[in-house]
Amino acid sequence: DGEGLNRQKLGNVVFQNPDALSDLNDIILGYVEDEVHRRMKRAEADGRPGVAIDAIGMLESDVRHECDALVAITAPEEERVERIMKREGISEEYARNRVNAQQPDSYFSERCHHVLENDSTAEAFREKAQELFSRLLTE
């Protein structure tokens, strides 16, 4: 009908229904895997030493085994709520539903090789991230 994806309408369903969220994640997973492979091939063809992919669904995918490093980026819950509200112009209730539907930080720290805590200024976090990724690219 020419309309795009209504992310907030979809979110109202999946962020309050774990089964619906699981179904959505299953649908998206194949696309994530395809995109990861496309980017890895492109990086190799371009002679780049690596590729960074921001895809939470990778942890549920077998493609995670093809990665040399998995990095979790965590932040305090209140900061996540504030950032989502500001970035997407959504209500606090909707933002909290999104955050509450996410896995706990321990889920990511147990499955990733590195954890970056985004709990300070943007500049301080940028410095921590650059240091980690520079180190990963030279290992």
Side-chain angles (χ1 to χ4, degrees):
D1 65 336
E3 288 186 34
L5 175 66
N6 184 327
R7 294 174 61 99
Q8 190 159 359
K9 192 172 186 178
L10 178 62
N12 284 331
V13 173
V14 302
F15 297 135
Q16 296 180 33
N17 182 331
D19 291 333
L21 181 58
S22 179
D23 289 345
L24 177 62
N25 286 337
D26 288 344
I27 291 167
I28 293 171
L29 190 57
Y31 293 101
V32 169
E33 290 174 344
D34 290 347
E35 182 65 13
V36 169
H37 285 123
R38 186 187 71 74
R39 290 183 185 203
M40 288 173 149
K41 288 177 185 172
R42 179 63 187 247
E44 186 176 356
D46 291 348
R48 288 183 278 139
V51 60
I53 299 164
D54 179 5
I56 199 168
M58 283 183 57
L59 296 178
E60 287 80 32
S61 166
D62 286 339
V63 78
R64 72 185 181 281
H65 300 298
E66 299 175 46
C67 299
D68 294 326
L70 295 170
V71 179
I73 299 175
T74 61
E77 182 176 327
E78 288 305 311
E79 287 186 33
R80 284 186 274 167
V81 169
E82 292 289 326
R83 289 174 187 161
I84 293 169
M85 289 170 55
K86 184 178 179 181
R87 181 181 64 230
E88 299 182 22
I90 59 176
S91 71
E92 182 177 348
E93 178 183 5
Y94 184 71
R96 286 196 185 285
N97 285 340
R98 282 183 58 175
V99 168
N100 290 333
Q102 296 171 349
Q103 296 284 356
D105 289 350
S106 61
Y107 174 86
F108 301 102
S109 62
E110 291 167 3
R111 288 164 176 78
C112 293
H113 304 107
H114 307 276
V115 177
L116 285 173
E117 178 73 18
N118 189 357
D119 60 354
S120 56
T121 67
E123 184 167 317
F125 177 74
R126 188 177 306 111
E127 288 177 19
K128 284 194 294 189
Q130 286 177 333
E131 177 185 316
L132 173 61
F133 289 110
S134 292
R135 192 172 71 240
L136 291 174
L137 288 172
T138 58
E139 289 180 348

